[in-house]
Amino acid sequence: MGTRGYYVYRYRKIYIVHYNHCDSYPDALGVEMLQCMQSYNAITKKKQELGKILDKSKGRYYLNSDNDYVSNERPQNDLFIEWIYEIDLDRNIFHVNGIPFFDLECLPDTNAFLEYISKDHYGLVACSPVCPPKNRYKRPAPQVVDNSDLATYHSLVCTSTQATLSDLLPISDVLSPDEHVRVSLLETLVGQCMFRPRIASAIYELGLVSSHDQLTDNLWLVACAMANFAFVPQIFDAGVISHPTMKRKEFTWVRDDTVVCISTHLDDEQCLQACLSRLINAILEQKDNPGDYFGVAFSVFHCAIVKVVKDAHLKTFSHTAALEFLPSFFADSPSTPGITALARLGYRIDPALFVRFVEISRQPGTGEGEDEKSQATDDTPPNTSCAVLPLELWCEVALNLQLPDLLTFGLASKSCREIASMVLRYPHVCGYRLVSVAKEKPKGLLRQYVFLRIACFSAVRARVPATVLVGLQSNKWLAGSMSVPFYCAKSPLSMHVTEIQPEVAKENLVEDEGDEEGDEDEYNEEDEGDDDDDDGDGDGDEWNFSGS
């Protein structure tokens, strides 16, 4: 049939891309590529063949067809290219649609090959969990860590290597309702990343990097953006809020007291300690004031949090173990210890929150908002006369303000700024203030693992309570679009916010029993793909509120 695709060879980090006009399905072009690599000495022969061509080409490699090309970048699926089979001779991996599948040195037979090409719980092509380890691609081992990279870790006093977040902050082990909202929103943002094919491909690629110094700029941005979700002001509204773009740095200060370092293989003890050493050095070198500082070691797959205590006479540190951050692509729940830890770490009171709110409330480079920013950073209150009211009443006033009015309110005085900062700790999406995770959810949210990337919240907008879905578009009930600060993988992250109208909610909401893993509906590979648009950004999602 007319299904178009590519078959690709990767060698010396160069992609040699061949166009296939038809029959690119796994049982046609996929099997053909499989069988050509199962012939005797296929890997060696292919390397020799491509090596001779590349040696002679001197960087100028011409192909016979106009539709074939050579690139330093991996080809991507799009509306016209449905299937891509990549023979990665640099790492001995057979990829399908940018996802690593098989070990070239131990490929499955044809029937097993077709069986193992499945879909994950996010609706993307993935290697089935039933594929045996011998056939799966092999993740590279971490680079050997030099003893000098561990010097700081071993020279300072470490009070705990298995600390919990409640030990570090300190806070209760039980999440508050406000923290629960932050955690659920972060789970949704991570799920939206895993739902998008290009970002998912970059995530898999992160797992094939041996050391942090081998990360490309794009992979670094993917990792740092996902870590930064927890620390940016939780205010998202396309056209109204503009979060700044990120620039690559070894250490990214996401708050005045919190720094993030992107690494790899944090599940390896030596790699973890080396990254924590770098974080501790960054804190000691850049922060002279006594106090508590936090470092986040982050690899997308895992994270660890270190607390450095500085006083006039002693410097000590303690840290968590490596916490799982990214859910499995075959997860039954969006929750992980790492997501919960980062969301709670980002929820701490931030003295600079209102100033950061002012900065993102105006388009950068236009000059707008400079006066407001200057006033927000000035501790001297303006000549504003305010009625003397109890603090509780001012808080109630602030909770009922829209964001533009909250900005004006916070600029009135120092005390108003503190009240506004309290309100800004709640997540705001498209003018809604999220106040709790909804106890009742649409029936359809419990089907086909949709809850891994879409969340339901109780919210308030202009004093009116509402039930909103974050991450899903309904053409009938669409309330707005929220832009999330994710400027990498050539896949900007724009999400939809949908308000469930009362007449719809009355008949289609079911009470959440807190056990999504017990969903009785079986995952249906064919149905899941029907909800997604070609870019995997959710723009084409439709919603059946009946869940049928």
Side-chain angles (χ1 to χ4, degrees):
M1 301 298 290
T3 303
R4 290 160 289 193
Y6 289 138
Y7 62 97
V8 182
Y9 294 98
R10 181 186 193 263
Y11 189 49
R12 299 179 184 174
K13 299 183 179 179
I14 295 176
Y15 295 91
I16 303 168
V17 184
H18 299 272
Y19 173 72
N20 189 69
H21 182 68
C22 62
D23 288 339
S24 297
Y25 291 112
D27 59 359
L29 181 61
V31 170
E32 181 181 337
M33 294 301 293
L34 171 73
Q35 292 176 346
C36 80
M37 296 308 299
Q38 288 177 321
S39 61
Y40 176 74
N41 216 17
I43 296 176
T44 301
K45 290 179 180 178
K46 201 65 185 179
K47 285 183 177 181
Q48 291 174 348
E49 174 191 336
L50 296 178
K52 291 178 181 179
I53 296 174
L54 295 176
D55 289 340
K56 293 179 180 179
S57 68
K58 298 182 180 179
R60 299 184 299 274
Y61 182 40
Y62 299 99
L63 300 178
N64 295 327
S65 170
D66 292 338
N67 292 319
D68 299 342
Y69 67 94
V70 177
S71 175
N72 292 323
E73 296 186 5
R74 165 179 283 166
Q76 301 284 345
N77 297 85
D78 56 31
L79 180 63
F80 302 102
I81 302 298
E82 184 173 351
W83 291 97
I84 300 176
Y85 307 95
E86 177 190 328
I87 306 300
D88 185 346
L89 297 169
D90 291 328
R91 297 174 292 198
N92 283 349
I93 298 175
F94 191 118
H95 303 260
V96 179
N97 286 1
I99 306 301
F101 267 65
F102 306 120
D103 185 346
L104 287 181
E105 296 181 342
C106 189
L107 292 169
D109 61 36
T110 299
N111 290 334
F113 171 82
L114 295 174
E115 177 188 355
Y116 299 153
I117 296 180
S118 180
K119 282 193 175 182
D120 61 27
H121 291 175
Y122 296 85
L124 304 181
V125 170
C127 186
S128 171
V130 303
C131 178
K134 68 177 182 179
N135 295 130
R136 287 182 176 273
Y137 73 96
K138 305 301 184 287
R139 185 186 178 196
Q143 285 189 347
V144 177
V145 175
D146 191 273
N147 288 334
S148 62
D149 295 331
L150 307 174
T152 301
Y153 184 91
H154 293 301
S155 63
L156 297 181
V157 176
C158 180
T159 58
S160 177
T161 62
Q162 298 286 327
T164 64
L165 198 62
S166 57
D167 296 329
L168 298 181
L169 292 183
I171 54 176
S172 169
D173 288 328
V174 180
L175 271 68
S176 68
D178 295 346
E179 288 178 315
H180 194 191
V181 173
R182 297 272 295 227
V183 170
S184 183
L185 182 59
L186 181 54
E187 291 171 351
T188 303
L189 295 178
V190 171
Q192 286 287 321
C193 289
M194 300 175 69
F195 170 62
R196 286 160 165 76
R198 292 190 176 182
I199 301 177
S201 178
I203 289 172
Y204 276 104
E205 187 71 15
L206 282 163
L208 300 177
V209 178
S210 297
S211 174
H212 68 95
D213 55 12
Q214 296 179 4
L215 292 170
T216 64
D217 289 346
N218 188 65
L219 293 181
W220 181 91
L221 282 168
V222 170
C224 200
M226 292 181 70
N228 197 38
F229 286 160
F231 300 103
V232 295
Q234 302 292 288
I235 306 164
F236 309 106
D237 196 338
V240 178
I241 298 297
S242 179
H243 291 273
T245 58
M246 304 183 69
K247 295 182 179 179
R248 182 168 185 174
K249 301 176 182 177
E250 184 177 4
F251 303 104
T252 303
W253 288 90
V254 293
R255 284 180 39 158
D256 289 342
D257 62 354
T258 307
V259 61
V260 172
C261 180
I262 305 303
S263 188
T264 63
H265 292 85
L266 293 178
D267 50 340
D268 178 85
E269 183 177 0
Q270 295 252 305
C271 290
L272 174 62
Q273 292 180 3
C275 186
L276 295 179
S277 287
R278 296 197 299 274
L279 282 166
I280 295 169
N281 283 333
I283 292 171
L284 297 181
E285 291 172 0
Q286 297 190 29
K287 297 297 179 180
D288 296 328
N289 297 329
D292 296 347
Y293 297 92
F294 295 90
V296 178
F298 191 80
S299 71
V300 171
F301 303 99
H302 297 87
C303 67
I305 300 170
V306 59
K307 177 181 179 180
V308 179
V309 179
K310 298 175 61 176
D311 60 31
H313 306 289
L314 185 64
K315 300 177 181 64
T316 64
F317 72 95
S318 55
H319 65 86
T320 68
L323 306 173
E324 178 191 3
F325 180 83
L326 193 77
S328 162
F329 279 92
F330 289 90
D332 294 314
S333 167
S335 302
T336 65
I339 289 178
T340 299
L342 286 201
R344 300 189 79 187
L345 187 66
Y347 181 69
R348 291 172 300 130
I349 293 174
D350 182 3
L353 179 56
F354 186 76
V355 175
R356 299 173 70 194
F357 168 53
V358 172
E359 290 173 342
I360 66 175
S361 296
R362 295 292 184 268
Q363 292 293 334
T366 63
E368 297 180 15
E370 293 301 319
D371 292 340
E372 289 90 339
K373 180 179 177 181
S374 176
Q375 186 175 340
T377 56
D378 185 2
D379 287 337
T380 303
N383 294 324
T384 303
S385 177
C386 297
V388 178
L389 292 175
L391 180 63
E392 293 79 6
L393 289 181
W394 280 119
C395 290
E396 190 64 28
V397 169
L399 285 169
N400 287 285
L401 294 177
Q402 296 286 355
L403 283 176
D405 298 324
L406 186 64
L407 173 62
T408 304
F409 175 86
L411 293 171
S413 69
K414 184 177 180 180
S415 58
C416 287
R417 188 190 316 163
E418 293 173 351
I419 294 171
S421 295
M422 178 271 294
V423 177
L424 292 171
R425 294 180 73 200
Y426 288 93
H428 291 73
V429 297
C430 299
Y432 296 91
R433 174 167 55 87
L434 306 184
V435 296
S436 65
V437 177
K439 294 182 179 180
E440 294 183 330
K441 301 179 181 180
K443 298 175 184 177
L445 199 64
L446 303 180
R447 297 181 64 245
Q448 298 180 354
Y449 298 96
V450 175
F451 58 84
L452 293 174
R453 55 182 171 87
I454 298 169
C456 188
F457 297 93
S458 297
V460 174
R461 185 178 190 178
R463 301 186 181 184
V464 178
T467 300
V468 297
L469 291 170
V470 174
L472 179 78
Q473 175 184 359
S474 168
N475 292 335
K476 186 175 182 180
W477 306 114
L478 179 64
S481 177
M482 53 183 274
S483 295
V484 180
F486 190 95
Y487 307 100
C488 42
K490 297 181 180 179
S491 184
L493 195 56
S494 179
M495 298 165 52
H496 295 284
V497 176
T498 304
E499 180 179 349
I500 305 177
Q501 299 299 313
E503 64 270 21
V504 177
K506 184 176 181 181
E507 297 182 358
N508 292 283
L509 293 182
V510 295
E511 186 172 354
D512 179 17
E513 299 179 356
D515 186 18
E516 290 165 331
E517 296 183 14
D519 181 16
E520 295 180 357
D521 291 315
E522 293 292 334
Y523 175 69
N524 187 313
E525 296 177 8
E526 296 179 358
D527 292 345
E528 177 71 6
D530 295 339
D531 289 338
D532 307 335
D533 69 353
D534 295 298
D535 294 330
D537 61 3
D539 289 343
D541 287 345
E542 296 292 340
W543 187 250
N544 183 342
F545 283 97
S546 68
S548 59

